[in-house]
Amino acid sequence: WPPGIVRCLNGEKTDRSVEASRKEAETIIFDVVERALNKAGLSPRDVDVLAINCSLFSPTPSLCASVVTRFDMRSDVQSYNLSGMGCGASLIGIDLARNV
């Protein structure tokens, strides 16, 4: 997991298109968000702040916009899309979550 990496490791051809990258990112992120909401016993409309860190992939519309739309979150949710900054953005994401 994720599917593209597994295919590559198995010597299979991988789809490196933007569409395939978005689909893979959304598959993983949507699953994580759904499990986090269920574990916390929250509705998507209870979310005030959304921060997503994806080290390399920085699509338009953003991954945050995809999550807000998919889960029908409120239009006033504060979203922080940390994309394209490499692995070091993880520290920025942790600091952001702590200070928001």
Side-chain angles (χ1 to χ4, degrees), residues 2-4 8 10 13 16 19-22 30-31 35 37 41-42 45-46 51-53 62 72 76 82 86 90 99:
C8 182
N10 290 334
K13 185 177 180 183
R16 297 179 185 173
E19 294 81 14
S21 297
R22 176 178 287 283
F30 291 171
D31 180 58
R35 286 191 289 144
L37 289 169
L42 296 173
R45 293 206 164 258
D46 294 329
I52 294 179
N53 174 28
S62 70
D72 193 30
D76 67 342
L82 307 175
S90 297
N99 291 309

Side-chain angles (χ1 to χ4, degrees), residues 26-48:
E26 288 178 348
T27 297
I28 295 165
I29 292 169
F30 291 171
D31 180 58
V32 168
V33 170
E34 189 168 336
R35 286 191 289 144
L37 289 169
N38 288 337
K39 186 174 182 177
L42 296 173
S43 151
R45 293 206 164 258
D46 294 329
V47 175
D48 295 321

Side-chain angles (χ1 to χ4, degrees), residues 48-53 64 77-83 96 100:
D48 295 321
V49 178
L50 174 66
I52 294 179
N53 174 28
C64 282
V77 66
Q78 293 179 46
S79 63
Y80 299 91
N81 198 62
L82 307 175
S83 293
L96 176 68
V100 171

Side-chain angles (χ1 to χ4, degrees), residues 53-59 82-87:
N53 174 28
C54 185
S55 61
L56 296 175
F57 186 53
S58 185
L82 307 175
S83 293
M85 295 187 285
C87 297

